[in-house]
Every structure is written in structure tokens, then in C-alpha cells.
Amino acid sequence: ERDTFASWASTQLHSRRAPRLRVTSGHGAEELSANPAIRRKQTTVYASPVSGQVVITSPFGDRSHEAKDLPPGARVDNHPGIDIAGNLGDDVYSATDGRVIEVGEHPGFGKYVKVEEIGTGNIHRYNHLSKNDIFKEGSRIGASIKLGEIGSTGVSSGPHLHWEIQAPNGASIDPTPYLGKGWITKAERDARKE
């Protein structure tokens, strides 16, 4: 199955859009919302928010870390999204069809773009961008369309994309299951280099 994905993904690398990932939405779907459209047990397609291999440097959930603008030993009890490795200026793509509902800058999140997913009402937030002025609030966008560029704005230890999904009821959703097998951890990437 992984070889099939790798073969398909390699054919997508020459397109103008980021590769789309097929994943099963049944994993944790009941946690998303009471909306039956979200809870259906069928295949959902999300686009990768970055081109190339998705390398998760900080997973969803509880964690502790030190960052440039936090005191030593500072603790973040809940990480409501995932951090994806990247280089300054790498493209960031919308993971879904939607509408841009907010573009701004925040002391912690840095430059960001928020997209409301069509059909579910889920909010996708792309944080720490170096560039976020491609679309204005109210713009309709498609999956795999460039939203901005990876940066290190706000509270950040270096260039990366923080991607989070929030259900209409305010609950945080782990994006990792929606990447299927199209991701690895930083430790796995580093082990491959050795």
C-alpha cells in the first residue's frame, strides 16, 4: 500500500498543486462534530499542506518545549495541532476547499491564515508563516492552493508550519490521521540520514 502511494505521489510532484492524500475519515470521526456529514465512514481526501515528505517535528497533544520567546523550561500543556518541518519560504497549501475567514498576525502564532472547510465548518489554521498576504478574508480557495510561505514568526524555535484543525464545537482535531501514511517523524527522518 505504501509503494502504491509513493508511486502515485511521485507522479504528482510535477503538477502545480501539492499532492492530495487519500485517508479514511473513520479514525476518530465521532470526535469531530455531531454533524452527520463529518461522521460518515468513507474516504476523505485532504491535500498535503506542504510539498514533499511531511515531517512532523512536534505532534498533537501534550508536550513541553523551550522556544526563543519563552523562559527556560516553559511548558505548553496542549499542542492543538502538528508542527511540520520546512525551510524559510517553502510554500504552504490549503488542505481543503474552503473560505479564508481570517488573515493576521498574533504574538504567539505569528503570521497566520484561517480557512473554514466547505461542508464541515472545520477551521484549518496555518501558523508561523513568513508570508500570509496571498488571499484576503472572504476569498474562496481550493485544496492544494498556495496560502503562504513557511516562516518562524511568533513564538517559534525555527522555520516550520503549525497546522491545526478545530471542529465547529471548538474541539481540537489531530490532523495526523488525515495524512494517512504520508508522514514521518523527525526522528525517523534523522535515522534514515544515518
Side-chain angles (χ1 to χ4, degrees):
E1 192 173 307
R2 201 172 203 19
D3 292 336
T4 303
F5 173 79
S7 173
W8 174 84
S10 68
T11 65
Q12 301 297 310
L13 291 178
H14 300 291
S15 74
R16 291 176 41 201
R17 292 179 168 214
R20 294 174 69 88
L21 303 174
R22 294 193 65 185
V23 299
T24 302
S25 64
H27 184 279
E30 285 75 24
E31 298 172 9
L32 303 184
S33 172
N35 182 339
I38 299 171
R39 290 174 39 156
R40 66 183 180 268
K41 302 277 188 185
Q42 69 178 40
T43 301
T44 299
V45 177
Y46 272 127
S48 175
V50 296
S51 59
Q53 178 74 62
V54 173
V55 178
I56 298 175
T57 58
S58 186
F60 179 89
D62 291 344
R63 70 173 186 172
S64 62
H65 74 108
E66 294 179 15
K68 66 182 181 185
D69 295 333
L70 294 176
R75 180 165 178 79
V76 175
D77 290 329
N78 188 332
H79 189 228
I82 59 175
D83 289 347
I84 300 172
N87 296 310
L88 190 64
D90 284 354
D91 292 341
V92 173
Y93 303 98
S94 176
T96 184
D97 295 336
R99 183 175 57 87
V100 175
I101 59 169
E102 193 174 326
V103 176
E105 190 162 0
H106 180 275
F109 304 131
K111 292 181 180 180
Y112 66 89
V113 176
K114 286 170 74 172
V115 175
E116 181 179 25
E117 183 177 342
I118 293 174
T120 66
N122 290 339
I123 305 299
H124 293 247
R125 188 170 184 146
Y126 307 86
N127 297 336
H128 305 301
L129 304 175
S130 62
K131 181 176 182 171
N132 67 345
D133 59 356
I134 296 174
F135 291 100
K136 296 188 184 317
E137 293 174 13
S139 299
R140 291 207 174 263
I141 57 166
S144 303
I145 299 299
K146 181 178 174 180
L147 286 177
E149 295 177 0
I150 286 181
S152 186
T153 58
V155 177
S156 170
S157 58
H160 71 282
L161 169 65
H162 171 85
W163 174 37
E164 63 184 76
I165 306 171
Q166 187 178 51
N169 66 6
S172 294
I173 300 168
D174 182 1
T176 310
Y178 299 93
L179 290 172
K181 295 181 181 179
W183 63 274
I184 61 173
T185 66
K186 182 179 181 298
E188 290 170 324
R189 181 194 64 187
D190 293 346
R192 290 180 184 178
K193 289 181 181 178
E194 293 177 356

